[in-house]
Amino acid sequence: MHSLTTEVAIIGAGTAGCFMANLLDEAGIDCLLIEKSRGFGGRCSRRRIGNDYSIDLGAPEFSPSNVIHPLLKEKLSTWVSAGYLSPWTKNISRFDTPAGNKETLETLCGTPSMSTWHNKIAGHINSLTQSRVHRIKRADSHWHLLNESHQLLAISNRIVITSPPEQAIDLLNSVGNLSYSKTLPSDSLPQYVCAIGFTQPLNMNADVYKSGHALLHTAIRENSKPDRTCPVPLQEIWVLHSTHEWAQQQCHADSGTAAIQLTESFCQHFCINAKPSILTSHYWRMAQHKTASQENTPFIWNDALKVGCCGDWLGSGGTFGALNSALALHQTMLK
């Protein structure tokens, strides 16, 4: 295994990590993305169905309405113009709301998938995938990043950790003299997700259903998103996300077993007689995090050690929180 030397090592290639890499690269700063999975996206990942179709199994969208920072507004506009993101106008309703009661909302989603957006903004930057950073240590005035076998993955002058809080805490603890780890959230919430397909269109009132159901947190008509067409012979594809509470009660049960229960619950709730096929399922062990209480900044940065953290759990949560956190940390690092 050959180590890579870089100015900034970014641990995690989710939204915060990819955006941080994009910003650093544009500023002319050499950086390296290190990701434990096979590809970019983090909790915006997709799952391929067949040869030419993929489904968003994580974060399906985000709202630009809270974006205030002019640079982030400019970035979003550029990504939309380039086709990396597309406006998604859809009808939204609650599970427990009578038919006909709905609202229309426009958000942004990746085109043709959320993870494609990540690859477009950071795919050209040096990266190590399927490489998990287990420990970081100081040596020869540089940071050494080691895997679980204590092999050297990379050497850097600065480190940005964008991992979920539990993993970030482990890395910060490996440094030994950082006090932040004692104040960070450590309880992530799990979630099950599955995609189901129907060979005939459903007479549904809305494209997205949220809240008001014991098992289902969200149900999304995947083919209502821009540039999503169903593979033959399917006419509709729905992605079902469980509630976090129900997922906790399953005690890490198999995702396929959970998918059957979610599918049955969806069909029963809407009185659907057509039998769907379960296309894929996934268990997110750390789907959502409590946001950390950072009084003035949505990030962590120790300028003496040149180590920091950014991510949705340090921002306001969700995809926007991850973008906002990465941008704020990036500007601090440049100063």
Side-chain angles (χ1 to χ4, degrees), residues 16-28:
C18 286
F19 188 33
M20 174 61 75
N22 178 272
L23 292 167
L24 290 172
D25 182 66
E26 289 186 349

Side-chain angles (χ1 to χ4, degrees), residues 124-327:
H124 61 288
I125 297 169
N126 288 338
S127 65
L128 283 175
T129 57
Q130 294 184 287
S131 301
R132 181 171 186 143
V133 179
H134 181 69
R135 182 172 173 242
I136 55 178
K137 71 174 185 178
R138 196 74 174 167
D140 303 324
S141 301
H142 299 290
W143 285 108
H144 287 209
L145 292 80
L146 310 172
N147 65 12
E148 292 178 317
S149 301
H150 306 291
Q151 293 176 307
L152 185 63
L153 291 173
I155 299 173
S156 68
N157 292 324
R158 292 179 276 181
I159 294 178
V160 173
I161 302 169
T162 71
S163 309
E166 292 93 335
Q167 297 167 1
I169 288 171
D170 288 341
L171 289 172
L172 291 174
N173 284 338
S174 73
V175 176
N177 55 350
L178 286 177
S179 60
Y180 297 110
S181 60
K182 297 178 181 179
T183 63
L184 300 185
S186 58
D187 297 324
S188 294
L189 298 173
Q191 189 171 48
Y192 289 95
V193 59
C194 69
I196 59 176
F198 295 87
T199 56
Q200 60 191 62
L202 304 181
N203 185 26
M204 301 291 280
N205 180 53
D207 303 304
V208 177
Y209 293 88
K210 294 183 176 182
S211 305
H213 197 283
L215 271 69
L216 297 166
H217 178 275
T218 312
I220 301 167
R221 194 195 321 252
E222 178 75 6
N223 52 290
S224 69
K225 292 182 177 182
D227 291 337
R228 265 76 159 184
T229 56
C230 293
V232 177
L234 299 178
Q235 296 292 309
E236 283 198 13
I237 293 177
W238 285 80
V239 178
L240 312 178
H241 297 255
S242 78
T243 62
H244 302 296
E245 296 78 10
W246 182 80
Q248 286 179 313
Q249 295 168 9
Q250 305 314 301
C251 300
H252 310 295
D254 175 71
S255 65
T257 302
I260 294 173
Q261 297 182 62
L262 292 173
T263 302
E264 291 176 348
S265 183
F266 176 77
C267 291
Q268 289 172 5
H269 183 83
F270 291 108
C271 301
I272 298 171
N273 294 321
K275 186 176 180 180
S277 56
I278 298 177
L279 305 176
T280 187
S281 63
H282 185 72
Y283 175 60
W284 292 102
R285 188 171 63 88
M286 295 180 286
Q288 188 180 59
H289 322 289
K290 296 178 182 178
T291 55
S293 178
Q294 300 293 315
E295 292 183 0
N296 300 311
T297 57
F299 61 86
I300 291 170
W301 180 249
N302 186 303
D303 196 55
L305 293 173
K306 307 299 181 186
V307 175
C309 292
C310 63
D312 60 338
W313 53 279
L314 285 163
S316 57
T319 303
F320 166 71
L323 292 170
N324 187 57
S325 178
L327 177 58

